[in-house]
Amino acid sequence: MGHRRSGGCYVVCRSCLSPCVRSGNDRRKEDAEDPDARQARGGPWPSFVTGLKRLAKDESKPYAPVMKDLLGQLEHSYETRKGYWKGGTVGVIGYGGGVIPRFSEVADKFPASAEFHTLRIMPPPGMHYTTEVLRKMCDVWEEYGSGLIALHGQSGDIMFQGCTSKNVQPAFDALNDMGFDMGGAGPALRTSMSCVGHARCEHSCYDEPRAHRLVINEFLDEMHRPAMPYKFKFKFSGCPNDCTNAIQRSDMAVIGMWRDDMKVDQKEVKAFVAERGRSYVIDNVITRCPTHSLKLADDDTLKIDNRNCVRCMHCINVMTKALHPGDDRGVALLLGGKRTLKIGDLMGTVIVPFLPLKTDEDYEQLVDIGRRVMEFFADNALEHERTGEMIERIGFANFMDGVGLPIDPNMVSHPRTNPYVRMDEWDAAVAAYEEGRKGQGAHNKGGQS
Amino acid sequence: MSARRAVESGVPELDPYLHPLLKKNYGAWKWHDRPRPGVLHHVAMSGDEVWTVRAGTQRQLDVYTIRTLCDLGDRYADGFLRFTSRSNVEFMVASEAQVAPLIEALGKAGFPVGGTGNSISMISHTQGWLHCDIPATDASGVVKALMDELHEEFIHERMPNKLRISTSCCEINCGGQADIAVNIQHTKPPRINHDAVGNICERPTVVARCPVAAIRPALVNGKPSLEIDERKCMCCGACYPPCPPMLINDPENSKIAIWVGGKHANARSKPTFHKLAVANLPNNPPRWPEVAAVVRAIIHAYKDDAHDWERLGEWIERIGWPRFFELSGLPFTKFHIDNWRGGRGSLNASAHLRF
């Protein structure tokens, strides 16, 4: 394969990824001689520092001195290995959140970037843009901000970074006039994300942008006037591939799901087997099924045990022409995902195995479940406690009882392993279970309709 | 200052920003394939076809870079573009003939085309020294250094399955779960600026934030402050965001840990958290060579040994952790053994052993 020079700094072997790197000391010595260039220099990946420098050199623009000092502070951070921003209170009229205030702790050295606030602005669902609207945003940010925009932050916001306190209001007014609104920050409903979904994906099991807008726009008061115990996040993924990472990264994950048999085009199955060979199909499709629900028949068609399929998406991902989600589509809802602080990582867990999402009433039902969960959270969580932690503290069954959602065996990996519970209301619970089964009607496949 | 009140318009409508071909076939797509790395080809029920060209960006975009992307969008993609959650830009192209010229134009403008299929996509990352108020390292800088090295795996699809990386500048881990996560790990309790605590911090809040109840109110030099039981403190940094005088960040003692095997998708196996691979790597800007070397070693072992379609965590699940430490060359220590709540569930309660 040979070696590839990347920017004079690193030499990386293509086949083994092993480097021939000069020692850190050598590089530090060289960096000291050329400190300005050290973060930007070389390499095939686009450099953010190159962009910062261009803004800093843009003498005709009001942000040039700001960006010059911002680069100075960043260099200072690289030299001392410390950050120098502190928070504060900055906002726009009528809203209690959405601006991330940043005041420099080294403003005496770098006065022009002493105030470098961020405006979190919600993008359209799926992060689609016209070039026209992006250019207008650039114009606004040239006039009022630093010329630096992150597309996008981890929360899903467009982050207009680098604004003085004075310019926050006029910058927001200009963006608001364009039809854009502030996102969430602090103990509030947060900006949401939805996958590309209906716009360009054949796996999509519901109209994600519709659900995204309907749910978030219903609860804007909770976003713009933070008054919850802590943050609350929705994320919308069109299928169990979960491209928005909703199960781990949101309080309520809305995951596309189907309930009937997956759709199979046996002609395309045969074509796939003919193209890739039987052993490829056996190794990479049949034996990769987590519940052993696939069988390659002698005539090169697929036999599928749909009752035991867990909708994991693998076979559909591999055989995109031959396999598709079924027609009885909707969503599964999982609640309580978060990372680390305070009690450790939590995945979201199933609170609704299946909610059809086709009619207007179905979508209203989704909003209603969202409202019940958020209200319960607002009433019962401790300060700075996320939904997952609240459930950990009060118990899942109590939570479900509190929000008025029926329990289902799809909600556990396995039943309890210890006897430490009072069971004197067992008979009543059995009666409720029998009542629930009657109510499930035609779709009695363990799902809840 | 203007007295204008906000129009509380919320999430904007999608329609005005959606490429006409995507609007026409909304919710009616049939299948897709990938003609080459960085290009998706979607076919609608109607028979319409659209080609998506994906390219990496630096996420922190200056207006000139955004306008360059807009120029490309105007020239090749009918004036539309979108971004992925990993800050890749996507141009939807109505004619196959436009794909190659767009790829060439992106290349000339310095944007690598790739990040699709079984590749290493752009690193999901945090704000770092550029903008965060609690960072112990930079984010964009680590990402730039790593993506320079991993560029060849971005523009090709030759990994066993997709590989997702995240970086985070503190233990809150805003970068999220990933196949490989590069996160700050503090190793010393916070130093306390006692002169500032009383004026800046709401002390009961800070006490309540500590996961191990190691912080308590105290009078220091006659002033209200806080004290830490350093035997209890596990250096998570949770006290620092509500109380900046709890100085947790340290140029030498805020180290970097690397975690492996996180997975968001439900494909094959259930979603998983990443697990500790190695800690105590130096936070060494501007190129973080020690971090890069470990990331490379892990990727190398995975690429060499995993079966097709195994994500990194699924590969380790199959070969076992003893083999992972052997193949990656990383040490196994007592710090890999979980002693947090529920930690006993991660011990091997069987005679399934590997030699």
Side-chain angles (χ1 to χ4, degrees):
Chain A
M1 290 298 271
H3 286 73
R4 181 180 176 287
R5 288 195 69 77
S6 45
C9 207
Y10 276 69
V11 186
V12 180
C13 173
R14 286 184 188 203
S15 54
C16 63
L17 290 167
S18 71
C20 323
V21 190
R22 294 192 303 249
S23 79
N25 282 339
D26 289 349
R27 188 167 306 101
R28 273 199 292 280
K29 204 188 304 169
E30 194 175 308
D31 291 336
E33 290 155 14
D34 181 17
D36 221 20
R38 67 185 189 183
Q39 295 154 49
R41 185 182 52 206
W45 198 257
S47 164
F48 70 109
V49 175
T50 306
L52 296 182
K53 279 186 175 171
R54 179 153 188 190
L55 296 171
K57 285 179 185 156
D58 216 347
E59 299 294 354
S60 63
K61 305 288 186 188
Y63 52 69
V66 177
M67 296 310 278
K68 206 169 163 217
D69 275 7
L70 177 81
L71 266 171
Q73 177 170 330
L74 190 60
E75 278 290 333
H76 185 53
S77 280
Y78 270 68
E79 280 155 16
T80 58
R81 303 187 191 186
K82 285 181 74 176
Y84 295 99
W85 298 109
K86 60 186 173 192
T89 310
V90 179
V92 297
I93 293 169
Y95 287 0
V99 179
I100 310 297
R102 288 292 175 259
F103 296 92
S104 174
E105 291 174 330
V106 283
D108 55 329
K109 289 195 184 73
F110 310 103
S113 57
E115 297 172 355
F116 203 78
H117 315 314
T118 284
L119 275 71
R120 286 186 174 172
I121 298 293
M122 288 191 282
M127 296 165 176
H128 296 263
Y129 299 95
T130 56
T131 54
E132 189 192 351
V133 80
L134 281 177
R135 286 181 200 280
K136 277 193 198 159
M137 286 176 172
C138 290
D139 293 344
V140 168
W141 210 236
E142 261 192 5
E143 187 176 350
Y144 297 111
S146 68
L148 183 69
I149 305 173
L151 293 162
H152 297 80
Q154 289 295 303
S155 57
D157 289 287
I158 313 168
M159 297 199 295
F160 289 86
Q161 298 169 113
C163 197
T164 58
S165 304
K166 181 169 70 71
N167 275 355
V168 163
Q169 185 71 47
F172 174 66
D173 289 346
L175 293 165
N176 197 214
D177 283 341
M178 290 166 58
F180 287 81
D181 198 359
M182 196 79 88
L189 174 66
R190 295 301 189 87
T191 302
S192 182
M193 284 169 104
S194 48
C195 64
V196 71
H198 257 36
R200 199 202 59 204
C201 183
E202 71 271 21
H203 303 328
S204 167
C205 289
Y206 68 102
D207 187 342
E208 307 85 355
R210 180 180 175 187
H212 177 168
R213 289 193 69 232
L214 197 71
V215 169
I216 300 302
N217 290 354
E218 176 72 19
F219 303 120
L220 286 177
D221 199 39
E222 299 296 345
M223 176 177 286
H224 293 142
R225 282 159 285 274
M228 293 216 277
Y230 197 21
K231 64 181 89 169
F232 190 101
K233 299 181 179 185
F234 285 95
K235 287 191 198 293
F236 300 87
S237 285
C239 80
N241 281 324
D242 192 5
C243 287
T244 65
N245 302 340
I247 293 175
Q248 191 265 312
R249 306 203 70 174
S250 69
D251 292 279
M252 190 184 282
V254 183
I255 308 286
M257 186 55 57
W258 69 97
R259 198 160 48 158
D260 54 346
D261 295 353
M262 82 166 82
K263 295 196 279 195
V264 191
D265 183 337
Q266 295 289 6
K267 212 173 83 201
E268 290 292 349
V269 173
K270 286 186 182 183
F272 187 87
V273 179
E275 187 196 330
R276 303 290 181 98
R278 286 179 67 85
S279 77
Y280 180 90
V281 176
I282 290 165
D283 288 349
N284 294 298
V285 183
I286 307 296
T287 57
R288 288 256 171 251
C289 174
T291 53
H292 311 292
S293 299
L294 298 175
K295 181 177 158 60
L296 184 63
D298 288 341
D299 63 354
D300 288 349
T301 59
L302 263 189
K303 289 202 188 325
I304 302 171
D305 175 6
N306 276 287
R307 288 277 283 174
N308 286 310
C309 165
V310 288
R311 280 75 178 160
C312 88
M313 293 301 291
H314 174 77
C315 60
I316 296 176
N317 290 341
V318 179
M319 301 173 72
T320 56
K321 274 190 188 177
L323 303 176
H324 294 96
D327 287 321
D328 185 9
R329 297 181 180 189
V331 292
L333 304 179
L334 289 87
L335 197 88
K338 61 172 282 294
R339 173 64 168 137
T340 318
L341 296 176
K342 173 175 170 181
I343 66 168
D345 309 61
L346 298 171
M347 290 284 180
T349 62
V350 177
I351 60 162
V352 176
F354 190 79
L355 177 74
L357 217 47
K358 282 183 178 163
T359 65
D360 292 351
E361 290 74 29
D362 294 340
Y363 279 86
E364 284 305 323
Q365 175 95 22
L366 176 66
V367 173
D368 181 57
I369 294 173
R371 176 181 295 112
R372 279 147 68 187
V373 170
M374 279 167 57
E375 277 175 5
F376 186 90
F377 172 63
D379 289 346
N380 292 282
L382 303 177
E383 195 219 333
H384 213 256
E385 188 177 58
R386 292 286 291 275
T387 50
E389 292 164 312
M390 173 188 71
I391 291 171
E392 178 93 357
R393 179 170 54 82
I394 68 174
F396 182 76
N398 288 335
F399 166 77
M400 294 298 278
D401 195 38
V403 292
L405 288 169
I407 53 162
D408 183 289
N410 266 313
M411 294 169 192
V412 295
S413 296
H414 57 74
R416 71 162 60 234
T417 57
N418 61 71
Y420 295 154
V421 60
R422 270 186 73 155
M423 297 203 196
D424 39 3
E425 288 179 24
W426 172 269
D427 289 344
V430 171
Y433 173 74
E434 296 299 345
E435 200 57 33
R437 274 167 69 95
K438 271 186 232 156
Q440 283 182 4
H443 291 294
N444 194 7
K445 287 186 172 181
Q448 172 250 355
S449 52
Chain B
M1 186 180 279
S2 87
R4 176 191 179 289
R5 287 193 75 88
V7 178
E8 209 155 345
S9 49
V11 185
E13 270 186 72
L14 173 57
D15 257 27
Y17 307 107
L18 195 56
H19 188 283
L21 210 49
L22 303 192
K23 200 184 297 184
K24 184 185 162 207
N25 296 289
Y26 192 77
W29 295 94
K30 195 170 178 197
W31 60 274
H32 82 278
D33 60 3
R34 299 188 310 277
R36 53 152 284 174
V39 179
L40 308 168
H41 165 234
H42 284 88
V43 179
M45 308 277 190
S46 67
D48 286 347
E49 295 174 89
V50 66
W51 286 265
T52 299
V53 178
R54 181 182 292 177
T57 78
Q58 59 271 53
R59 191 181 90 151
Q60 307 287 356
L61 300 163
D62 60 287
V63 288
Y64 292 96
T65 301
I66 296 176
R67 287 180 184 131
T68 301
L69 295 172
C70 288
D71 290 343
L72 294 169
D74 286 338
R75 176 133 188 234
Y76 298 99
D78 307 303
F80 294 85
L81 52 86
R82 73 175 290 267
F83 289 85
T84 71
S85 58
R86 307 189 86 80
S87 300
N88 298 309
V89 64
E90 290 188 339
F91 297 94
M92 277 63 71
V93 178
S95 149
E96 190 176 8
Q98 293 283 68
V99 171
L102 171 56
I103 291 172
E104 200 190 328
L106 279 163
K108 275 190 188 147
F111 299 102
V113 172
T116 54
N118 296 347
S119 67
I120 299 180
S121 189
M122 168 62 167
I123 296 170
S124 149
H125 68 97
T126 52
Q127 291 277 50
W129 288 328
L130 183 65
H131 202 258
C132 186
D133 59 337
I134 55 169
T137 188
D138 199 28
S140 309
V142 183
V143 169
K144 164 69 176 149
L146 282 174
M147 287 311 292
D148 277 347
E149 297 225 3
L150 303 174
H151 165 261
E152 287 293 312
E153 298 302 339
F154 180 86
I155 63 171
H156 291 103
E157 294 180 355
R158 55 188 188 188
M159 301 302 291
N161 198 337
K162 63 178 72 169
L163 190 121
R164 297 289 182 255
I165 303 176
S166 74
T167 67
S168 296
C169 325
C170 75
E171 290 179 30
I172 294 172
N173 187 210
C174 296
Q177 296 290 323
D179 293 285
I180 301 176
V182 177
N183 298 346
I184 278 290
Q185 182 85 25
H186 304 294
T187 61
K188 294 280 183 262
R191 289 173 295 113
I192 306 176
N193 177 359
H194 291 291
D195 291 336
V197 169
N199 289 331
I200 296 179
C201 313
E202 199 178 320
R203 291 188 300 158
T205 303
V206 187
V207 169
R209 290 288 169 89
C210 180
V212 292
I215 303 176
R216 59 192 169 226
L219 272 181
V220 181
N221 302 327
K223 289 182 186 165
S225 187
L226 297 162
E227 65 182 13
I228 295 177
D229 182 342
E230 297 202 350
R231 291 163 307 169
K232 278 189 188 171
C233 176
M234 41 59 169
C235 315
C236 71
C239 52
Y240 182 52
C243 185
M246 307 294 276
L247 299 164
I248 186 73
N249 287 338
D250 183 296
E252 288 306 320
N253 295 312
S254 293
K255 303 285 192 178
I256 289 180
I258 294 182
W259 306 71
V260 295
K263 165 176 175 288
H264 291 281
N266 293 269
R268 302 167 304 282
S269 53
K270 291 180 179 180
T272 51
F273 292 122
H274 48 234
K275 288 100 182 162
L276 180 66
V278 70
N280 221 38
L281 301 171
N283 179 21
N284 196 3
R287 281 281 165 180
W288 292 270
E290 298 84 359
V291 169
V294 171
V295 170
R296 252 186 341 257
I298 294 168
I299 291 174
H300 189 186
Y302 166 62
K303 193 177 170 187
D304 253 15
D305 196 62
H307 294 167
D308 288 350
W309 297 104
E310 274 177 342
R311 288 286 288 268
L312 198 140
E314 294 171 305
W315 162 63
I316 298 172
E317 196 63 30
R318 176 174 59 82
I319 66 169
W321 287 95
R323 197 77 66 234
F324 167 77
F325 285 102
E326 178 190 319
L327 292 176
S328 63
L330 299 171
F332 181 76
T333 70
K334 66 179 180 181
F335 298 105
H336 289 91
I337 301 170
D338 195 349
N339 61 358
W340 191 241
R341 59 197 297 169
R344 200 157 191 281
S346 65
L347 302 182
N348 181 10
S350 77
H352 292 199
L353 300 166
R354 297 177 202 246
F355 303 101

